[in-house]
Short mmCIF file of all heavy atoms in Angstrom, two decimals:
data_model
loop_
_atom_site.label_atom_id
_atom_site.label_comp_id
_atom_site.label_asym_id
_atom_site.label_seq_id
_atom_site.Cartn_x
_atom_site.Cartn_y
_atom_site.Cartn_z
N LEU V 1 -3.83 186.84 -83.87
CA LEU V 1 -4.78 187.11 -82.79
C LEU V 1 -6.21 187.18 -83.31
O LEU V 1 -7.14 186.66 -82.69
CB LEU V 1 -4.41 188.40 -82.08
CG LEU V 1 -3.15 188.34 -81.21
CD1 LEU V 1 -2.62 189.74 -80.93
CD2 LEU V 1 -3.42 187.59 -79.92
N ILE V 2 -6.39 187.80 -84.47
CA ILE V 2 -7.73 187.88 -85.07
C ILE V 2 -8.26 186.49 -85.38
O ILE V 2 -9.42 186.16 -85.07
CB ILE V 2 -7.67 188.76 -86.34
CG1 ILE V 2 -7.44 190.23 -85.96
CG2 ILE V 2 -8.96 188.62 -87.15
CD1 ILE V 2 -7.12 191.13 -87.14
N ALA V 3 -7.42 185.64 -85.98
CA ALA V 3 -7.84 184.28 -86.31
C ALA V 3 -8.11 183.46 -85.05
O ALA V 3 -9.08 182.70 -84.97
CB ALA V 3 -6.78 183.60 -87.17
N GLY V 4 -7.26 183.63 -84.04
CA GLY V 4 -7.45 182.90 -82.78
C GLY V 4 -8.73 183.30 -82.08
O GLY V 4 -9.44 182.44 -81.54
N ALA V 5 -9.03 184.59 -82.08
CA ALA V 5 -10.26 185.06 -81.44
C ALA V 5 -11.49 184.49 -82.15
O ALA V 5 -12.46 184.09 -81.51
CB ALA V 5 -10.30 186.58 -81.44
N ALA V 6 -11.45 184.45 -83.47
CA ALA V 6 -12.58 183.92 -84.23
C ALA V 6 -12.78 182.43 -83.94
O ALA V 6 -13.91 181.96 -83.75
CB ALA V 6 -12.35 184.15 -85.72
N LEU V 7 -11.68 181.67 -83.90
CA LEU V 7 -11.78 180.24 -83.61
C LEU V 7 -12.31 180.01 -82.21
O LEU V 7 -13.22 179.18 -82.01
CB LEU V 7 -10.40 179.59 -83.76
CG LEU V 7 -10.32 178.12 -83.33
CD1 LEU V 7 -11.25 177.24 -84.16
CD2 LEU V 7 -8.87 177.62 -83.41
N ALA V 8 -11.78 180.72 -81.23
CA ALA V 8 -12.23 180.53 -79.85
C ALA V 8 -13.72 180.83 -79.72
O ALA V 8 -14.47 180.09 -79.07
CB ALA V 8 -11.42 181.43 -78.91
N HIS V 9 -14.15 181.90 -80.35
CA HIS V 9 -15.58 182.25 -80.31
C HIS V 9 -16.42 181.15 -80.95
O HIS V 9 -17.48 180.78 -80.41
CB HIS V 9 -15.80 183.58 -81.03
CG HIS V 9 -17.23 183.98 -81.12
ND1 HIS V 9 -17.95 184.48 -80.06
CD2 HIS V 9 -18.11 183.92 -82.17
CE1 HIS V 9 -19.19 184.73 -80.44
NE2 HIS V 9 -19.30 184.39 -81.71
N ASP V 10 -15.98 180.64 -82.07
CA ASP V 10 -16.73 179.58 -82.75
C ASP V 10 -16.82 178.32 -81.89
O ASP V 10 -17.79 177.54 -82.03
CB ASP V 10 -16.07 179.24 -84.09
CG ASP V 10 -16.27 180.33 -85.13
OD1 ASP V 10 -17.13 181.22 -84.92
OD2 ASP V 10 -15.54 180.32 -86.14
N LEU V 11 -15.85 178.10 -81.02
CA LEU V 11 -15.86 176.92 -80.14
C LEU V 11 -16.64 177.17 -78.85
O LEU V 11 -16.68 176.30 -77.98
CB LEU V 11 -14.42 176.53 -79.80
CG LEU V 11 -13.59 175.97 -80.97
CD1 LEU V 11 -12.13 175.79 -80.55
CD2 LEU V 11 -14.17 174.66 -81.48
N GLY V 12 -17.24 178.34 -78.73
CA GLY V 12 -18.08 178.63 -77.57
C GLY V 12 -17.35 179.24 -76.40
O GLY V 12 -17.92 179.34 -75.30
N LEU V 13 -16.12 179.69 -76.61
CA LEU V 13 -15.34 180.30 -75.54
C LEU V 13 -15.51 181.81 -75.57
O LEU V 13 -15.57 182.43 -76.63
CB LEU V 13 -13.85 179.97 -75.72
CG LEU V 13 -13.48 178.49 -75.57
CD1 LEU V 13 -12.12 178.22 -76.20
CD2 LEU V 13 -13.46 178.09 -74.09
N GLU V 14 -15.58 182.42 -74.39
CA GLU V 14 -15.51 183.88 -74.31
C GLU V 14 -14.05 184.28 -74.52
O GLU V 14 -13.14 183.61 -74.01
CB GLU V 14 -16.01 184.37 -72.96
CG GLU V 14 -16.04 185.88 -72.83
CD GLU V 14 -16.77 186.33 -71.56
OE1 GLU V 14 -17.97 186.03 -71.43
OE2 GLU V 14 -16.11 186.97 -70.71
N VAL V 15 -13.84 185.38 -75.23
CA VAL V 15 -12.48 185.76 -75.61
C VAL V 15 -12.06 187.06 -74.93
O VAL V 15 -12.71 188.09 -75.08
CB VAL V 15 -12.36 185.92 -77.15
CG1 VAL V 15 -10.90 186.18 -77.53
CG2 VAL V 15 -12.89 184.69 -77.87
N HIS V 16 -10.94 186.97 -74.19
CA HIS V 16 -10.28 188.14 -73.61
C HIS V 16 -8.89 188.24 -74.23
O HIS V 16 -8.43 187.33 -74.92
CB HIS V 16 -10.14 187.99 -72.10
CG HIS V 16 -11.44 187.83 -71.37
ND1 HIS V 16 -11.50 187.62 -70.01
CD2 HIS V 16 -12.73 187.82 -71.80
CE1 HIS V 16 -12.77 187.51 -69.63
NE2 HIS V 16 -13.53 187.62 -70.71
N ALA V 17 -8.21 189.34 -73.99
CA ALA V 17 -6.85 189.51 -74.48
C ALA V 17 -6.08 190.38 -73.51
O ALA V 17 -6.65 191.25 -72.84
CB ALA V 17 -6.84 190.13 -75.88
N GLY V 18 -4.77 190.17 -73.43
CA GLY V 18 -3.96 190.99 -72.54
C GLY V 18 -2.50 190.65 -72.59
O GLY V 18 -2.10 189.59 -73.07
N HIS V 19 -1.69 191.54 -72.11
CA HIS V 19 -0.25 191.49 -71.89
C HIS V 19 0.47 192.51 -72.76
O HIS V 19 0.45 192.43 -73.99
CB HIS V 19 0.37 190.11 -72.14
CG HIS V 19 1.71 189.96 -71.46
ND1 HIS V 19 1.84 189.71 -70.11
CD2 HIS V 19 2.97 190.08 -71.93
CE1 HIS V 19 3.13 189.65 -69.80
NE2 HIS V 19 3.83 189.89 -70.88
N GLY V 20 1.08 193.48 -72.08
CA GLY V 20 1.92 194.45 -72.75
C GLY V 20 1.19 195.55 -73.48
O GLY V 20 1.81 196.31 -74.25
N ILE V 21 -0.12 195.68 -73.28
CA ILE V 21 -0.92 196.63 -74.05
C ILE V 21 -0.65 198.06 -73.58
O ILE V 21 -0.63 198.34 -72.38
CB ILE V 21 -2.41 196.30 -73.94
CG1 ILE V 21 -2.68 194.89 -74.49
CG2 ILE V 21 -3.26 197.32 -74.68
CD1 ILE V 21 -4.10 194.39 -74.24
N THR V 22 -0.46 198.96 -74.55
CA THR V 22 -0.22 200.38 -74.29
C THR V 22 -1.21 201.21 -75.11
O THR V 22 -1.99 200.67 -75.90
CB THR V 22 1.21 200.78 -74.69
OG1 THR V 22 1.32 200.72 -76.12
CG2 THR V 22 2.25 199.84 -74.07
N TYR V 23 -1.12 202.52 -74.95
CA TYR V 23 -1.95 203.41 -75.78
C TYR V 23 -1.66 203.19 -77.27
O TYR V 23 -2.55 203.32 -78.10
CB TYR V 23 -1.68 204.87 -75.43
CG TYR V 23 -2.07 205.31 -74.04
CD1 TYR V 23 -1.38 206.34 -73.41
CD2 TYR V 23 -3.13 204.72 -73.35
CE1 TYR V 23 -1.73 206.76 -72.12
CE2 TYR V 23 -3.48 205.13 -72.07
CZ TYR V 23 -2.77 206.15 -71.46
OH TYR V 23 -3.12 206.57 -70.20
N ASP V 24 -0.41 202.87 -77.61
CA ASP V 24 -0.04 202.72 -79.01
C ASP V 24 -0.51 201.41 -79.62
O ASP V 24 -0.64 201.32 -80.85
CB ASP V 24 1.49 202.81 -79.15
CG ASP V 24 2.03 204.19 -78.84
OD1 ASP V 24 1.28 205.17 -79.04
OD2 ASP V 24 3.19 204.29 -78.40
N SER V 25 -0.74 200.40 -78.80
CA SER V 25 -1.09 199.09 -79.35
C SER V 25 -2.54 198.67 -79.10
O SER V 25 -2.99 197.66 -79.63
CB SER V 25 -0.15 198.01 -78.77
OG SER V 25 -0.18 198.01 -77.36
N VAL V 26 -3.29 199.44 -78.31
CA VAL V 26 -4.60 198.97 -77.87
C VAL V 26 -5.65 198.98 -78.97
O VAL V 26 -6.51 198.08 -79.03
CB VAL V 26 -5.10 199.78 -76.65
CG1 VAL V 26 -5.43 201.21 -77.02
CG2 VAL V 26 -6.31 199.10 -76.01
N SER V 27 -5.63 199.95 -79.87
CA SER V 27 -6.77 200.14 -80.78
C SER V 27 -7.03 198.94 -81.68
O SER V 27 -8.19 198.49 -81.79
CB SER V 27 -6.58 201.42 -81.59
OG SER V 27 -6.59 202.54 -80.75
N PRO V 28 -6.02 198.37 -82.37
CA PRO V 28 -6.31 197.20 -83.20
C PRO V 28 -6.82 196.01 -82.41
O PRO V 28 -7.63 195.22 -82.92
CB PRO V 28 -4.96 196.90 -83.86
CG PRO V 28 -4.24 198.21 -83.86
CD PRO V 28 -4.63 198.84 -82.56
N LEU V 29 -6.37 195.86 -81.17
CA LEU V 29 -6.87 194.77 -80.33
C LEU V 29 -8.32 195.01 -79.93
O LEU V 29 -9.15 194.09 -79.95
CB LEU V 29 -6.00 194.62 -79.09
CG LEU V 29 -4.53 194.29 -79.34
CD1 LEU V 29 -3.74 194.39 -78.05
CD2 LEU V 29 -4.38 192.91 -79.96
N ALA V 30 -8.62 196.24 -79.58
CA ALA V 30 -9.99 196.58 -79.19
C ALA V 30 -10.96 196.44 -80.35
O ALA V 30 -12.17 196.26 -80.15
CB ALA V 30 -10.03 198.01 -78.65
N ALA V 31 -10.45 196.51 -81.56
CA ALA V 31 -11.30 196.41 -82.75
C ALA V 31 -11.64 194.97 -83.13
O ALA V 31 -12.49 194.75 -84.00
CB ALA V 31 -10.63 197.12 -83.94
N ILE V 32 -10.99 193.97 -82.51
CA ILE V 32 -11.30 192.57 -82.83
C ILE V 32 -12.69 192.26 -82.27
O ILE V 32 -12.90 192.30 -81.05
CB ILE V 32 -10.24 191.63 -82.22
CG1 ILE V 32 -8.86 191.95 -82.77
CG2 ILE V 32 -10.62 190.17 -82.51
CD1 ILE V 32 -7.73 191.17 -82.11
N PRO V 33 -13.66 191.96 -83.10
CA PRO V 33 -15.05 191.91 -82.63
C PRO V 33 -15.33 190.83 -81.61
O PRO V 33 -16.22 191.00 -80.77
CB PRO V 33 -15.86 191.69 -83.92
CG PRO V 33 -14.89 191.15 -84.90
CD PRO V 33 -13.56 191.73 -84.56
N GLN V 34 -14.61 189.71 -81.65
CA GLN V 34 -14.90 188.62 -80.70
C GLN V 34 -14.32 188.87 -79.31
O GLN V 34 -14.71 188.20 -78.35
CB GLN V 34 -14.35 187.29 -81.24
CG GLN V 34 -15.03 186.80 -82.50
CD GLN V 34 -14.39 187.37 -83.76
OE1 GLN V 34 -13.44 188.16 -83.70
NE2 GLN V 34 -14.90 186.97 -84.91
N VAL V 35 -13.40 189.81 -79.20
CA VAL V 35 -12.79 190.11 -77.90
C VAL V 35 -13.77 190.94 -77.08
O VAL V 35 -14.22 192.00 -77.52
CB VAL V 35 -11.45 190.84 -78.07
CG1 VAL V 35 -10.92 191.29 -76.72
CG2 VAL V 35 -10.44 189.95 -78.77
N VAL V 36 -14.09 190.48 -75.89
CA VAL V 36 -15.04 191.19 -75.03
C VAL V 36 -14.38 191.86 -73.83
O VAL V 36 -15.02 192.64 -73.13
CB VAL V 36 -16.18 190.26 -74.55
CG1 VAL V 36 -16.93 189.67 -75.74
CG2 VAL V 36 -15.66 189.16 -73.64
N GLU V 37 -13.09 191.56 -73.59
CA GLU V 37 -12.41 192.15 -72.44
C GLU V 37 -10.92 192.24 -72.71
O GLU V 37 -10.31 191.30 -73.23
CB GLU V 37 -12.67 191.30 -71.19
CG GLU V 37 -12.00 191.83 -69.92
CD GLU V 37 -12.42 191.03 -68.70
OE1 GLU V 37 -13.65 190.90 -68.48
OE2 GLU V 37 -11.54 190.52 -67.98
N LEU V 38 -10.34 193.39 -72.36
CA LEU V 38 -8.90 193.56 -72.35
C LEU V 38 -8.45 193.69 -70.90
O LEU V 38 -9.06 194.42 -70.11
CB LEU V 38 -8.48 194.81 -73.13
CG LEU V 38 -8.78 194.82 -74.62
CD1 LEU V 38 -8.30 196.14 -75.24
CD2 LEU V 38 -8.12 193.64 -75.34
N ASN V 39 -7.37 193.00 -70.55
CA ASN V 39 -6.78 193.11 -69.22
C ASN V 39 -5.44 193.81 -69.33
O ASN V 39 -4.54 193.34 -70.03
CB ASN V 39 -6.64 191.73 -68.58
CG ASN V 39 -7.97 191.20 -68.09
OD1 ASN V 39 -8.58 191.80 -67.21
ND2 ASN V 39 -8.44 190.10 -68.67
N ILE V 40 -5.33 194.95 -68.67
CA ILE V 40 -4.16 195.83 -68.81
C ILE V 40 -3.73 196.28 -67.42
O ILE V 40 -4.57 196.72 -66.63
CB ILE V 40 -4.50 197.06 -69.68
CG1 ILE V 40 -5.13 196.62 -71.01
CG2 ILE V 40 -3.25 197.91 -69.92
CD1 ILE V 40 -5.65 197.76 -71.86
N GLY V 41 -2.44 196.17 -67.14
CA GLY V 41 -1.98 196.54 -65.81
C GLY V 41 -0.75 197.41 -65.79
O GLY V 41 -0.81 198.60 -65.45
N HIS V 42 0.39 196.85 -66.17
CA HIS V 42 1.67 197.53 -65.99
C HIS V 42 1.68 198.92 -66.61
O HIS V 42 2.12 199.89 -65.98
CB HIS V 42 2.79 196.67 -66.59
CG HIS V 42 4.15 197.22 -66.38
ND1 HIS V 42 4.76 198.05 -67.29
CD2 HIS V 42 5.03 197.06 -65.35
CE1 HIS V 42 5.96 198.39 -66.83
NE2 HIS V 42 6.15 197.80 -65.67
N PHE V 43 1.18 199.04 -67.83
CA PHE V 43 1.23 200.34 -68.51
C PHE V 43 0.34 201.36 -67.80
O PHE V 43 0.74 202.51 -67.60
CB PHE V 43 0.80 200.19 -69.97
CG PHE V 43 0.85 201.50 -70.71
CD1 PHE V 43 2.04 202.01 -71.18
CD2 PHE V 43 -0.31 202.23 -70.92
CE1 PHE V 43 2.09 203.23 -71.84
CE2 PHE V 43 -0.28 203.45 -71.59
CZ PHE V 43 0.92 203.95 -72.05
N ILE V 44 -0.86 200.96 -67.42
CA ILE V 44 -1.76 201.91 -66.75
C ILE V 44 -1.17 202.36 -65.42
O ILE V 44 -1.19 203.56 -65.08
CB ILE V 44 -3.16 201.28 -66.54
CG1 ILE V 44 -3.89 201.17 -67.89
CG2 ILE V 44 -3.99 202.10 -65.56
CD1 ILE V 44 -5.23 200.49 -67.81
N ILE V 45 -0.60 201.42 -64.65
CA ILE V 45 0.00 201.79 -63.37
C ILE V 45 1.20 202.70 -63.60
O ILE V 45 1.42 203.67 -62.85
CB ILE V 45 0.39 200.55 -62.55
CG1 ILE V 45 -0.87 199.69 -62.25
CG2 ILE V 45 1.10 200.93 -61.27
CD1 ILE V 45 -1.99 200.42 -61.55
N GLY V 46 1.99 202.42 -64.63
CA GLY V 46 3.12 203.29 -64.95
C GLY V 46 2.69 204.69 -65.33
O GLY V 46 3.25 205.69 -64.85
N GLU V 47 1.69 204.80 -66.18
CA GLU V 47 1.17 206.11 -66.58
C GLU V 47 0.58 206.86 -65.39
O GLU V 47 0.64 208.09 -65.32
CB GLU V 47 0.10 205.94 -67.66
CG GLU V 47 0.64 205.72 -69.05
CD GLU V 47 1.42 206.92 -69.55
OE1 GLU V 47 0.80 207.99 -69.75
OE2 GLU V 47 2.64 206.79 -69.74
N ALA V 48 0.02 206.10 -64.45
CA ALA V 48 -0.61 206.74 -63.28
C ALA V 48 0.41 207.51 -62.45
O ALA V 48 0.04 208.47 -61.75
CB ALA V 48 -1.28 205.68 -62.41
#
């Protein structure tokens, strides 16, 4: 994911990430510098 985000950014694409993200998995994804948006649904609605 880190390598993919870097490549996409270098090609001029804005980089988002999502699917299956929880409190336990979010931090390393949020730390990828090229990622500007995380899309999270099922876990947040479940926790709600």
